Structures are given as C-alpha cells and as structure tokens.
C-alpha cells in the first residue's frame, strides 16, 4: 500500500492481481494528486499474448486443439505486422466495431522556439493514426461509470 506524500490527500494506491492500480479511497485533491490519475497500468506484449490465449481457450472449449502461447504470439505478431505494413503503404484498415488504422499526413508549418521566440520551419511528416469505432468507445465509456 502506497501512501501519498501530500497531507491533504486521503487516497491510497494498491497494486491488484493484474498489475492494475486501484484507489482504496477517493482523493480529496484530484488535480494535484497522482492517485486520481493512476487508474491502470499499460499491458505489455507478453501480457497481451497471455490474455489473448486465455480468451481463445475459453472460446475453444470442446475443440480438438487449443493454441499454446507460442502460436498465439505468432498470430499477434502477424496481425501487428500486417497493420504496420498496410498503414506504411498508405492504405487503411477498418475493423468494424474496433476502429480504423490509417496513415495521416501532416503539412509543413511554422512554429516558434519557446526559449528564443524565433520562428522555425517544421517540415511535413507522416504519422500513423487510429480512430476508435463506436463499439470500442461505448465499451470504454461504460467502464468509466
């Protein structure tokens, strides 16, 4: 159990079984306290593969063969490689209910160096983009309540 440094903060943080940080009590000063903003930690690739394996095991009960961790890792790697290669080519991938992966072009623009206030030229660039689908947004919004 971690106690916060600020005396006005009544919240405490504990690590749950899935490395998720949970607040045991609400924080009095949510804007100045890290406890109010720490809701969960990111899932790394190995944990993601394990979660996918657990989901596939649950959906494959009664089938001849279950996927092991190495096979699930290969499927996840192939999926991510396909998304990266497709977006890098300039195409987009739409997964209905989940979202859309696409390439976004940013035009060149003028910026300002905050230290010297000198005007600088920022070159055009290309970045990957993701737009969540309606079902994804609705699920996240439902978890917020």
């Amino acid at each position: 159990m971690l106690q916060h440094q600020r005396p006005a903060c009544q919240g405490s943080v504990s690590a749950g079984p899935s490395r998720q940080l949970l607040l045991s009590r609400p924080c009095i000063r949510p804007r100045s306290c890290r406890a109010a903003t720490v809701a969960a930690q990111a899932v790394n690739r190995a944990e993601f593969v394990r979660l996918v394996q657990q989901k596939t095991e649950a959906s494959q009960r009664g089938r001849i063969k279950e996927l092991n961790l190495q096979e699930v890792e290969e499927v996840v790697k192939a999926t991510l490689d396909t998304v990266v290669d497709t977006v890098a080519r300039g195409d987009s991938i739409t997964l209905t209910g989940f979202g859309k992966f696409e390439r976004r072009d940013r035009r060149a623009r003028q910026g300002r160096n905050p230290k010297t206030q000198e005007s600088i030229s920022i070159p055009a660039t290309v970045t990957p983009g993701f737009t969540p689908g309606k079902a994804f947004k609705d699920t996240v919004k439902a978890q917020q309540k």
Side-chain angles (χ1 to χ4, degrees):
M1 189 76 64
L2 302 173
Q3 292 296 328
H4 295 283
Q5 303 300 320
R6 296 186 184 273
C9 178
Q10 299 297 316
S12 59
V13 178
S14 64
S18 64
R19 290 184 36 189
Q20 185 174 6
L21 296 177
L22 305 170
L23 285 175
S24 61
R25 289 179 279 171
C27 182
I28 294 174
R29 298 173 58 183
R31 289 187 185 224
S32 62
C33 176
R34 186 169 184 263
T37 60
V38 177
Q41 290 184 349
V43 175
N44 67 24
R45 187 180 182 129
E47 292 168 342
F48 179 73
V49 169
R50 194 180 73 254
L51 291 171
V52 170
Q53 182 195 28
Q54 290 171 356
K55 286 273 191 181
T56 57
E57 283 178 357
S59 67
Q60 288 187 356
R61 303 244 188 260
R63 292 191 183 170
I64 297 172
K65 181 184 178 206
E66 292 184 4
L67 297 174
N68 63 31
L69 270 177
Q70 185 178 5
E71 293 169 331
V72 174
E73 171 66 32
E74 290 172 8
V75 170
V76 169
K77 183 179 181 334
T79 303
L80 297 177
D81 288 346
T82 302
V83 170
V84 169
D85 293 343
T86 304
V87 172
R89 276 197 320 262
D91 297 332
S92 65
I93 295 180
T94 302
L95 303 172
T96 305
F98 183 72
K100 179 180 181 180
F101 295 93
E102 61 188 344
R103 179 176 149 168
R104 295 183 181 158
D105 298 318
R106 291 188 182 167
R107 60 182 175 81
R109 59 190 170 91
Q110 290 295 316
R112 188 164 303 276
N113 181 338
K115 188 173 185 179
T116 64
Q117 298 301 317
E118 180 184 347
S119 182
I120 58 173
S121 177
I122 300 172
T125 187
V126 178
T127 61
F130 176 74
T131 305
K134 184 174 180 350
F136 190 176
K137 289 180 189 178
D138 292 345
T139 303
V140 171
K141 198 176 289 185
Q143 293 292 325
Q144 183 182 16
K145 295 178 182 179

